[in-house]
Amino acid sequence: MKISVAPAVETALELLFPAHCVHCGANGELLCELCILSLSPYPDAACSKCGVLTHGPDLCERCAADPPAITRLIAAYQFDDIARDAVHALKYDDIRALSPILGTLLSESLIGRRRTPDVIVPVPLHSGRLKERGFNQAEALSNRVGELLGVPVDNSILKRRVNIPHQTRLGLESRQRNVRDALEARQLADGMHIMLIDDVTTTGSTLKIAGAARVDAAVFAKEA
Ligand SMILES: [Zn+2]
Ligand SMILES: [Zn+2]
């Protein structure tokens, strides 16, 4: 069980135990400058809808044959050792102070590259996991990106349905379908351009959102 401490106590703890880089252990920052500079940007030669490396065409064969609902998937970095350590520390070690750092890096890769969305939508966590973790890392990243891009964040557009059948009894295919079905979108005003945000992967590619003219998805890191 997590023990929560008051902000003053937290500051005192930080003074006693200064931050270490979650990847290399260097003193000072949660993610040091050298590790940030060593992150590998996601390759450009990738399918614009699913991120599979294509070495040429804009769409992979699969997306060309059966285009997903998503307009564009944007991944800032490859899911290498540094990105993995940062995401895991944020999610599983509950180092929430990493979210502004990762959110800033994600914003930097979005600025100037894409049309600005009307609204940013964090991909919701399962409610059980939210209870266990205490926060949604996608929402924490979204808040930072929204702040830097000047775009509102709306966490009421996507919801998870609560009753999810027991996963272990299902095969892989139905399990995937099951996860997909668990996300539910609210009807939007026509013509909205929305941007889904998640830390690593997103189920957005399979999700239709009524009213949205364009649905982009942005993730901090993706396996290349
Ligand atoms: Zn480092
Ligand atoms: Zn594709």
Side-chain angles (χ1 to χ4, degrees), residues 21 23-26 32 35:
C21 174
H23 178 67
C24 73
C32 75
C35 285

Side-chain angles (χ1 to χ4, degrees), residues 125-195:
L125 275 184
H126 289 283
S127 57
R129 205 157 295 156
L130 185 61
K131 211 174 267 175
E132 191 181 279
R133 200 173 290 164
F135 83 117
N136 176 3
Q137 74 283 353
E139 199 170 321
L141 292 178
S142 296
N143 290 338
R144 182 62 169 174
V145 174
E147 189 185 315
L148 292 175
L149 300 188
V151 176
V153 176
D154 189 335
N155 60 12
S156 73
I157 291 175
L158 278 189
K159 291 274 176 227
R160 290 239 182 233
R161 271 189 234 129
V162 188
N163 293 320
I164 297 155
H166 207 46
Q167 299 263 331
T168 48
R169 281 209 299 267
L170 302 169
L172 179 65
E173 200 187 318
S174 45
R175 202 151 61 209
Q176 283 167 342
R177 190 170 344 115
N178 198 35
V179 167
R180 181 156 83 214
D181 287 347
L183 268 182
E184 209 164 45
R186 175 161 66 72
Q187 167 86 41
L188 299 176
D190 273 350
M192 292 278 275
H193 172 191
I194 82 167
M195 180 178 274

Side-chain angles (χ1 to χ4, degrees), residues 21-91:
C21 174
V22 294
H23 178 67
C24 73
N27 277 329
E29 305 288 337
L30 286 169
L31 193 57
C32 75
E33 206 175 333
L34 196 63
C35 285
I36 289 177
L37 289 172
S38 307
L39 282 164
S40 316
Y42 199 78
D44 284 333
C47 173
S48 62
K49 285 185 183 281
C50 74
V52 156
L53 300 186
T54 58
H55 307 291
D58 181 50
L59 292 183
C60 70
E61 266 174 48
R62 220 171 117 187
C63 292
D66 183 18
I70 196 166
T71 313
R72 187 167 200 109
L73 172 71
I74 303 149
Y77 296 100
Q78 294 188 48
F79 196 58
D80 60 9
D81 291 350
I82 304 173
R84 183 180 301 114
D85 285 349
V87 167
H88 283 192
L90 169 68
K91 272 208 293 219

